[in-house]
Amino acid sequence: MSALTKLVATLRIVSPVPLTRGILCPHSTAGLYEKDSPAVRGLSMVIRQIRKRDGLLAAFDATKIAAAIEKAMRAVRGRVDTTDLTRLTNAVVQGVEERFGDRTPDVEGVQDIVERVLMEQGWFDVARGYILYRERHRERREERRRLLIERLADGELLVTKRGGEAEPFDERKLRATLAYAVRGFEGVVDVDDLLHRCIAGLYEGIDTDGIGRLATLTARAHIEDDPAYEAITARLFQISLVKEVVGSKFSPAARDDAYRKAFVRNLKRGVEIGRLVPQLLEFDLDHLAAHLDVERDWLLPFRGLQTLYDRYLMADGETEQRLESPQAFWMRVAMGLSLNEDDKNGCAVRFYDTISTLRFVPSTPTLFHSGTNHPQMSSCYITTVDDDLSHIFKCLGDNAQLSKWSGGLGNDWTNVRATGAQIKSTGVESQGVIPFLKIANDATAAINRSGKRRGATCAYLEMWHMDIEDFLDLRRNTGDERRRTHDMNTAVWIPDLFMKRVHENGTWTLFSPDETPDLHDLYGSAFEDAYVNYERAADEKRVRLHKKVNALDLWKKTLTRLYETGHPWITFKDACNVRSPQDHAGVVRSSNLCTEITLNTSRDETAVCNLGSMNLAAHVRHDGFDEERLGETVATAMRMLDNVIDLNFYPTKEAEASNLRHRPVGLGIMGFQDALFALDVPFDSERAVEIADESMELVAYHAIRASSELAAERGTYASYEGSKWDRGIFPQDTLDLLEAERGVAIPLSRDGKLDWSPVRDLVRQHGVRNSNCLAIAPTATISNIAGVFPSIEPIYKNLYVKSNMSGEFTVVNRHLVEDLKALGLWNRSVREEIKQRDGSIQGIDAIPAGLRAKYQTSFEIKPEWYLQSAARRGKWMDQSQSLNVFIDTNSGRRLSEVYTAAWRLGLKTTYYLRTLGASGVEKSTVEL
């Protein structure tokens, strides 16, 4: 029996993807309302997209809701009251946001909410008319569907080809495509069943691209059933993508040749339209094309492919046709990073092999801009704002330029004098730092980085600044909106002395930096001495502006705001400075947007960091890590990161001067949780802490060695002399220095597994090429591309829907599925129970206790385990790590215990607080 025959026989049973194109509401009329019509003016519009009946996404338009309600009113009552219409429309939009949250609503769901709102607010006759109208439209869709199935059975359904000509739908072509995508999963996925479901989604007038989308959406709908559908969905999407890139008739049999020819042709096209630099044409393009490994496309998960398609692959500005396939994209990035190499072709191939196998992925700005006419490839820029009006506005202008080119920003505002401080030139009192932060916030909101992501800034203020209490309130949803910064992140820069005063329940004195100008540049015992002297001067009335507060109360307020709003992030000044390799050349005055970068800044130097992340999961074996493979990857990654510095486009002269002088890079990791799963180790175990220690030691060992080898080839960085490297002090040596300065024991093992003497000898002989080598970024986007869990984080849930700028993606923990399959436990009943438990497997008695321990989710693990792993990892690092804290409690005491433990362990920084009970904690991070 053919798929068509079976479909006719089961007409009303199978229809996962509806046959007709949908509209938002049955009464909607395109263009009836303007965007600023009274019915929709003032709506928050948190919901950005809606899923139509054919599965495609469209912009969520509240005017269509208003139009639908208005038509129902007119049909039933013959008139419309604008006030009632506005109120009902607002109630529907609010209902949609409450029901769907950060998920994408579907048409039927929105229509259900319209009915409910009309009934709840007493419009029973209008609701009845609306229901009857929906039913009539449903019946019409069913009739169109019945006729369509008949046309399919008779071979009369026409499909529009790319050239515009029409031909009858051919079931065999679709079957061949599905069979190609299912290859290797025949024991898991029934091709006939998948074909049956795809045919159920056909509609009159569908074109060949639509059939490709339909196949992808059909497979995608079953990802939660088995991770095999993730791979099949990715393959179907890849087939459509390659057809678009190749731009001509294409078949799987001719794929490789067409793929390679398109790479050369479209690279030239990219230069022709001004997107790519002409120097790319100096490479041996045929040689590089021959090296493309088309099968590596299949390494990418569906969400990774979709993300590449939406935001990374180069497109023709006129036609929007993608000019890059995934392998062409990786090769273009590799070529852009090889432009300064003597052996350009050899390095491009080496770089390509490393990133296309997903062993290492450069950060998003590098992927966006490598090989382009404006190669701004750095991730992070950190500035210090001086207490000078012209410099304040210069920094705001710099922010705009840096953000325009995809840079994430960290701004140190501590130098700006506090509210009430005297301004000698005008004889008036200062309004403090808060009004300037409001301007910085609005500038951030106005910038769309490279047209592909929102501008992002974090403002830092040291804990003794007189405006600190107002600073803590910046993200609150109450109070004077002129003193709120809802679009900008905030972080507090905390000296050790403050934490000691908190522990002692002592007093803490707030100052204005114009009267204490050296405090911000001092740290350790020197800071403590100066601070105590200023307190004495304040007591003797030699300091005009100051305020005494209880340190514990200020700490409680800080943590309360963190719990309520997700801000400010907690970062520790002394750990960042005492352990900095560049203590001879300046001061670390703040961290960056994601709290992993700890570099010196000044009026003349904007710190820059160039990031990329090792995929630990790609280097793990059943018994540990493949050190040889890892060392090779790290060496190649360090060379790429160092090349970024010389090839980079710098939006400001201060950024260029700093980066060329110090040459810092930040090699990080991702897929730590995947590595633990592969090694069969629970996150909350001593063995996991040891693996965090051992894996970071391996990465650090090879990164520092690679930087020294680069120094032997290219020379040390300009400010090397006098650095900790020059003095023979490595990151693991600095914990004792911090302990001595702090005067408080740091309960952390200093031991390692490797013999560091060869690396120390190499550095002694050649120095290092980069002032800083290591930093762990959040990897929110590049981990999606690589198909691993982000950064150093535990699994969020075992089954959930992930939302980002590319849409929604069902994420299933394939490691768990494999383990359950091995025990014969992966079935519909278990899946439904996991869904009911919101992605958790705790409490499911059918699953063995060992697996329940292994697959605990982020909020099921005590925060101390994150901290211990981070501390052991951090001892090998010259910078920091984006460390999220997950905690399932509303206890202020517990929150204080966790962050105090982070300080005691010598951690430099923390990032987001994730708590199930918080009302304002953000659920997304920047994309690095």
Side-chain angles (χ1 to χ4, degrees), residues 377-410:
M377 296 184 280
S378 296
S379 301
C380 305
Y381 293 90
I382 314 173
T383 65
T384 285
V385 183
D386 272 2
D387 187 34
D388 172 82
L389 194 61
S390 62
H391 193 254
I392 290 171
F393 280 90
K394 180 190 183 304
C395 288
L396 293 172
D398 288 351
N399 274 6
Q401 287 299 320
L402 297 167
S403 189
K404 172 184 175 181
W405 295 107
S406 290
L409 306 176

Side-chain angles (χ1 to χ4, degrees), residues 119 158 171 259 328 428 447 598 679 697 818 859:
M119 296 287 286
L158 298 180
E171 175 188 333
Y259 200 110
V428 299
I447 301 294
T598 54
L679 294 169
E697 182 181 10
E818 290 169 3
F859 289 104

Side-chain angles (χ1 to χ4, degrees), residues 112 117 310 519 538 582 591 615 640 677 726 744 818 839 925:
D112 290 344
V117 168
D310 289 344
L519 277 187
Q582 289 292 95
S591 187
N615 179 359
M640 280 190 263
F677 285 153
D726 186 35
V744 177
E818 290 169 3
T925 187

